[in-house]
Amino acid sequence: MNKENIAVEMRGITKRFPGIVANDSISFKVKQGEIHALLGENGAGKSTLMNVLFGLYQPEEGDILINGEVVKITNPNMANELGIGMVHQHFMLVEPFTVVQNIILGIEPRSGLIIDQSKAIKKINEISEQYGLDIDPHATIKDISVGMQQRVEILKTLYRGADILIFDEPSAVLTPQEIVELMKIFRNLIKEGKTIILITHKLKEIMEVSDNVTIIRRGKVIDSVSVETTNPDELAAKMVGRKVSFSVEKEPAQVKEKILNVNKVSAENSRGVLALNELSLDIHAGEILGIAGVDGNGQSELIEVLTGLRKVSSGEITLHGSKLQTLNPRQISEQKVGHIPEDRHKRGLILDFSVSENMVLKNYYQPRFNKNGFLKFDEIDQYSIDLIEQFDVRTPSHKTPARALSGGNQQKAIIAREVDSDPDLLIAGQPTRGLDVGAIEFIHKKLIEQRDKGKAVLLISLELDELLNVSDRIAVIYEGEIVGIVDPKETDEKELGLMMSGGKINQRGKEQ
Amino acid sequence: MKTLSRWLLKESIIIPLISVFVGLLIGAIIMLFGGYNPVEAYQALFKKAFGNIYGIGETIRTITPLIFTGLAVAFAFRTGLFNIGAEGQFIMGSLAAAYVGIMLDLPAIIHMPLAVIVGGVVGGLWGGIAGYLKASRGVHEVITTIMLNWIALYLSNYLIREYLIEKGQQKSVTLAESSWLSFAFLTDMFNNARIHFGILIALLCAVVFYVILQKMKQGYELRSVGLNPHAAEYAGINVKGNIVKAMVVSGMFAGLGGAVEVLGVTHNVIILPAFQGYGFDGIAVALLGGNTAFGSIVGAFLFGFLSFGATGMKLGAGVPFEIINIVIALVIYFVASRLIFKRLLNALNVNKQEEQ
């Protein structure tokens, strides 16, 4: 056996948490200079395994070999010394600091008592150029895009001399264009002899950049295969444990009467800048209207004005022909508008409440659950147990805090709550963000079910695949305006991408 | 028996117990360094607090106001607010109850409950000011409650001096006996200890605390706002209104505490040269009790027992108050930093599993 070119080997790694075995005797090898993907559903144990490798967790059993040597990694500093760097899903950056300050944090080059930034800047510029990262070392973190922030994280690991880079769901927070850029960076890194371990559940990325893939399901290795010899269907089946259909099956839409009319609505964002600029659109019963756009073009504000969470500065919104913009969130919800929030942790759930308590977040006050100011907890529990079963929310119990559930199951709980209220209009903000194939399939099915029941669905998403597959019409939003509405059957990612970045040719000229 | 030992081994029980124990242990070491006999001192502590019927009565008297202020701080905390103003609400509650007790002439069956209720209401309003300022103007409640403490202190002193003063004294005239919460038979029963029926009101308040937060629709809304205001807003809950309500209820607990102390123990209000510290001790009590109703009772018990028993340590073992205060502080410190013990316990458990 050729020991030299195995960069990382994990042998029989077992990591237990109270009540579960997160990693059950996991073994796999990563060759030097390859991109090795770790594929698995949310909660399958990928992140735990990588946290073990990075020294954040100690395994109960098993060995780790780096470049053929058995090592014991008890903290991230040791991992750094061994040349392992990790880019976390949630960035570990100090927002008011500059790029340089973040990169040197903890290993500041000093001359006397003063931090010598110039030395660091020189090194950062060198690395940045070598790997095509293209970053301004003096920019402040909070002013740069998420994609750039991720590059800072990559630079941080490279600056510390990492040869093995772990990426935890790196594309989850990126726009389609940024993902393309990231793939380029991956290839540059490999070209320079680095090794990459990529944690993901996005099959497309794996097929595009990886050399080998290890599939993990419920804490166990299912298979390790070369990407050349496999295909997305096979990988998905291995990951989920059953066959998964990618193409969303649906009948043609039976479009009926107009449900919602948005007429020249303007609104400011939280910083007082115009976020919606005389935006107009209609949604009908029996259709799914998708909203495509680069993040930050007014999608969040649109959802907020429609659900009463943000005031309209001008224009009119009517639901079933009656005014909506003067109503508060509860009144709107009582007008049969359901809302799956973009950020399930910020808005969708109270994470420290039990699943049960979360299930009645919108209707706890109704006579069904409330008598003379006292909540009927038996009733609430029964209702939650029913929903949990109906929507297949995997939770140890209805009394478990929502925080303990995986992302997919948290989202299922929200969807259960919103769909069960039988809304005439369902507003879904990035409903599949960060979820795995199985959960995405489930959510798409539910959205189409609503449509087929004659309800209207507004789907706001950053995933073009999703919009193209699920929507009946796609409206493209750019700088707070709808720049065009297209039929998903007659368009493609290219055309959408063009519209999303400014639409018409003359506008693009103006930008430059 | 098995269930009892399991209950005692539960993390939420065993960790505070270990914390108290370690606090006392380190306190003992400090006493040894100071040349005092810790065994004797702790014996004196227990003897003073529980050694006789008088001691028990006085211990309960010490605990009572702490339960109120502990509940006040804990309630605010559970709804996402940091009420530093229990002290001021307590003062306003005492003042209002004293006013009713002095100025009105009513039969006891009306007078006493009325004085208690007015004390609670005024304390609630005092807390509500901070709640209103936060909800309407976004002023942080820590700032406003601290300022309201000082306003309460000097307002109370001014009003006592102008309207309630007993000539030539630094205190108000005595309250009409019809408003008292203390009764001769109870005092006699406890060998002249100043125990009074306020303890029952305190325990009742703990029940109210629990019922509001855990059983009622109102409590569901308050907890939602406290844990995640964004989600509460999304769910159509009136976030601002609930901030005000939470501060009113919190202030009410503290105000009742003040009322009960006046009606049960002092029977007058004095011109305060400085804060008495009930409200600030309430923060420690709430912290000790993990911001729950039952926990606040336990926290108040621990706090009250230590501070009352401390006089015993002084008299019985000659330990100076400074060292006694260090011991009290150590116990609180270790209970507050129970995370340390939790980690330790977890590490021990892991080792045990590995051995198996």
Side-chain angles (χ1 to χ4, degrees), chain B residues 13 25 95 104 110 154 161 165 194 230 236 239 250 284 290 324 342 344 356:
Chain B
I13 304 292
L25 196 72
L95 179 72
L104 301 184
I110 303 173
Y154 290 115
R161 198 172 280 132
I165 198 81
R194 291 167 293 169
H230 299 293
V239 173
S250 169
I324 296 164
K342 200 173 165 183
L344 258 161
Q356 283 163 1

Side-chain angles (χ1 to χ4, degrees), chain B residues 300-322:
Chain B
F301 175 83
L302 183 68
F303 210 94
F305 145 70
L306 285 174
S307 52
F308 177 69
T311 45
M313 283 165 78
K314 166 110 177 104
L315 295 173
V319 183
F321 274 120
E322 287 77 7

Side-chain angles (χ1 to χ4, degrees), chain A residues 339-388:
Chain A
H339 174 197
I340 301 163
E342 281 183 296
D343 188 335
R344 53 180 167 267
H345 289 173
K346 183 182 167 196
R347 287 235 192 250
L349 294 167
I350 295 177
L351 290 173
D352 293 309
F353 269 12
S354 68
V355 173
S356 235
E357 284 173 309
N358 272 298
M359 285 293 192
V360 294
L361 197 56
K362 287 261 190 85
N363 54 9
Y364 65 93
Y365 61 92
Q366 289 166 358
R368 183 175 175 193
F369 301 119
N370 164 30
K371 194 179 173 194
N372 305 325
F374 284 84
L375 292 181
K376 297 190 253 184
F377 281 100
D378 291 338
E379 201 82 23
I380 290 171
D381 287 345
Q382 195 48 54
Y383 172 72
S384 310
I385 292 166
D386 287 348
L387 284 188
I388 287 168

Side-chain angles (χ1 to χ4, degrees), chain A residues 309 329-330 339 341 345-350 352-353 357 360-362 364-365 370 373-375 377 417-418, chain B residues 211 214-221 223-225 227-237 350 353-354:
Chain A
L309 293 165
R330 176 158 297 170
H339 174 197
H345 289 173
K346 183 182 167 196
R347 287 235 192 250
L349 294 167
I350 295 177
D352 293 309
F353 269 12
E357 284 173 309
V360 294
L361 197 56
K362 287 261 190 85
Y364 65 93
Y365 61 92
N370 164 30
F374 284 84
L375 292 181
F377 281 100
R417 181 179 72 211
E418 298 306 315
Chain B
V211 170
Q214 303 301 135
K215 296 286 170 205
M216 294 186 73
K217 168 178 153 276
Q218 184 60 61
Y220 180 89
E221 292 182 355
R223 283 185 293 133
S224 307
V225 171
L227 291 169
N228 185 346
H230 299 293
E233 186 192 16
Y234 155 84
I237 293 168
V350 170
Q353 273 173 12
E354 274 179 9

Side-chain angles (χ1 to χ4, degrees), chain A residues 461-477:
Chain A
S461 176
L462 299 176
E463 305 274 351
L464 294 182
D465 284 350
E466 171 167 274
L467 289 166
L468 288 166
N469 274 329
V470 179
S471 317
D472 299 310
R473 288 191 298 152
I474 298 176
V476 181
I477 192 169

